[in-house]
Amino acid sequence: MNLTHLLRTVLATSSVAFLVACGTSSPSPSAAQQTLGIQQIRNATLKVEYAGTTFLIDPMLAKKGAYPGFEGTYNSHLRNPLVDLPLPLGEVMKADAIIVTHTHLDHWDEVARQRLPKGMPIFVQDEKDAISIRQDGFTDVRVLTESTVFNGTRLSKTGGQHGDDKTMAVAGELLGSVSGVVFQRPGHKTVYVAGDTVWNRHVEDALQQYKPDVIILNTGYARIQGLEGSIIMGKEDLLRAHQAAPKAMVIGTHMEAVNHGMQTRKELRDFIAEKGMDAQRVRVPADGEIYHF
C-alpha cells in the first residue's frame, strides 16, 4: 500500500480540568462573567468557559473503540477513541457554541455530527469546512476571522501547519489546513488554543501578537508511518512555550486517546521535572482531573 493511500485512509477515518482566574471588567461584571474555566474532556476536546459563555472545542464524542485505528499510522491495530468520555455525553454537549479547528475525525466525529444541536453556533476555519458542516444539517456555521466577536468575546483565528515543511511537501494536500483560536476580552485573561500544529512561525507569531496568559498545546506527538517526526507538537514544544512565554500558564493536551499519539502524560510530566520547568504554570491534565486557580 502506498503512502498516499495510507494518508487518505488516515484522514478519511480521520477529565475534567478547570483553571479559574478572575479579572476585572467594566462596568462591574458579575463573578460568572469574570470566570475563566478550561475543562479537559478527552483527546483535543475541550470546554472553555469564558466571560459567561461556554465553548466546546473539537468535539470527538464517540464511545471507546467506536472507530478503527488510523491505517498507516503507529499502533493502528488499536481502535479509537482509546478511552471513554469522563462525563456523560449530555454534560459534554452543554455549551453555547462550538469551535472546530479542522474536520479530521479526532476533532469532529460522526457522533458530534449526529448528536449536537443543529442550531448551535459553530465556528470553523474556512468556507470549505463551513460547507461540509452545513451539509450535516447545521444551520448557524460561521467562519472565524481575526476579529470575530461572539457574546462580547473576541475570537481570533490563528494559523498552523499539520506537520513540518518536509512532511507538508509530501502530504500537505492530504493533511490539509488547520487553525487555532485566541479568546480575548477587556479585563479577562487571553487564552490561546494552538490546535493541531507543529511549532513554527504561526505559533511564534501568535505568542508575539496576542501575548496569551494561557496557552493550550496539542502535545500528543502523533505519527504516520514512513514519515519522520510528528504531525503535531510534543514535549520539546511544551518547553519552547514555557521559555517563550515566561508568565503564561502552559497546558499540554491531546494525549492517550487516539492510536497514533506517541506522547504519554507520564512522559510529558517526567520531562517537565527533568527540565526544571515551573510545575505551577505547566500542567498536563488527566481526564477527570480538576485544577483550580
Side-chain angles (χ1 to χ4, degrees):
M1 184 178 293
N2 60 39
L3 177 60
T4 297
H5 181 77
L6 293 179
L7 290 173
R8 288 188 186 280
T9 304
V10 170
L11 298 181
T13 59
S14 127
S15 229
V16 181
F18 287 99
L19 297 167
V20 178
C22 293
T24 59
S25 180
S26 58
S28 300
S30 68
Q33 290 174 320
Q34 295 180 45
T35 298
L36 166 65
I38 298 175
Q39 182 179 21
Q40 168 66 32
I41 302 298
R42 178 188 63 186
N43 196 50
T45 306
L46 302 168
K47 272 186 165 180
V48 175
E49 183 181 350
Y50 198 91
T53 299
T54 301
F55 297 87
L56 177 62
I57 301 177
D58 286 349
M60 183 189 195
L61 304 180
K63 294 181 179 180
K64 177 182 178 180
Y67 309 119
F70 297 142
E71 187 177 351
T73 68
Y74 285 81
N75 298 321
S76 61
H77 62 286
L78 301 176
R79 293 185 65 85
N80 294 318
L82 303 181
V83 296
D84 273 319
L85 290 168
L87 300 171
L89 179 59
E91 291 297 314
V92 175
M93 293 194 301
K94 289 180 180 178
D96 300 300
I98 302 163
I99 297 174
V100 179
T101 63
H102 64 299
T103 57
H104 290 173
L105 175 70
D106 55 336
H107 296 257
W108 177 248
D109 73 343
E110 186 62 27
V111 177
R113 290 182 171 94
Q114 293 177 354
R115 298 293 301 275
L116 286 167
K118 292 297 189 286
M120 185 178 289
I122 301 181
F123 294 92
V124 298
Q125 65 173 331
D126 56 27
E127 189 60 31
K128 179 181 178 181
D129 284 0
I131 291 171
S132 173
I133 292 176
R134 290 183 188 121
Q135 289 173 344
D136 292 323
F138 292 91
T139 58
D140 188 0
V141 185
R142 313 180 194 185
V143 177
L144 283 170
T145 68
E146 291 187 358
S147 57
T148 299
V149 177
F150 182 75
N151 286 358
T153 293
R154 180 177 176 180
L155 304 173
S156 300
K157 173 188 168 182
T158 60
Q161 187 170 298
H162 212 337
D164 62 19
D165 290 344
K166 185 176 180 180
T167 296
M168 297 305 289
V170 175
E173 183 177 352
L174 298 171
L175 288 169
S177 299
V178 294
S179 66
V181 62
V182 173
F183 299 80
Q184 290 177 297
R185 190 181 181 113
H188 293 72
K189 291 186 179 295
T190 297
V191 178
Y192 170 38
V193 179
D196 262 11
T197 182
V198 296
W199 187 280
N200 58 18
R201 62 177 178 81
H202 296 290
V203 177
E204 292 171 350
D205 288 349
L207 295 178
Q208 178 64 31
Q209 178 177 353
Y210 297 106
K211 296 178 174 53
D213 301 292
V214 181
I215 301 166
I216 303 174
L217 304 179
N218 291 351
T219 50
Y221 205 73
R223 296 200 60 195
I224 296 173
Q225 291 179 350
L227 296 179
E228 295 182 6
S230 171
I231 58 174
I232 60 174
M233 295 192 203
K235 60 186 181 183
E236 297 289 347
D237 305 300
L238 197 76
L239 177 60
R240 289 187 180 99
H242 179 268
Q243 295 171 337
K247 295 183 179 180
M249 178 73 65
V250 184
I251 301 172
T253 186
H254 200 341
M255 286 173 286
E256 300 179 347
V258 287
N259 70 272
H260 59 327
M262 307 302 291
Q263 183 80 72
T264 69
R265 291 181 171 107
K266 182 181 186 304
E267 289 169 343
L268 194 53
R269 292 184 184 121
D270 288 347
F271 181 78
I272 290 168
E274 174 191 335
K275 296 298 181 180
M277 286 186 267
D278 183 355
Q280 295 302 309
R281 68 177 189 88
V282 184
R283 299 301 177 106
V284 185
D287 297 342
E289 187 173 3
I290 299 175
Y291 297 151
H292 292 285
F293 294 86

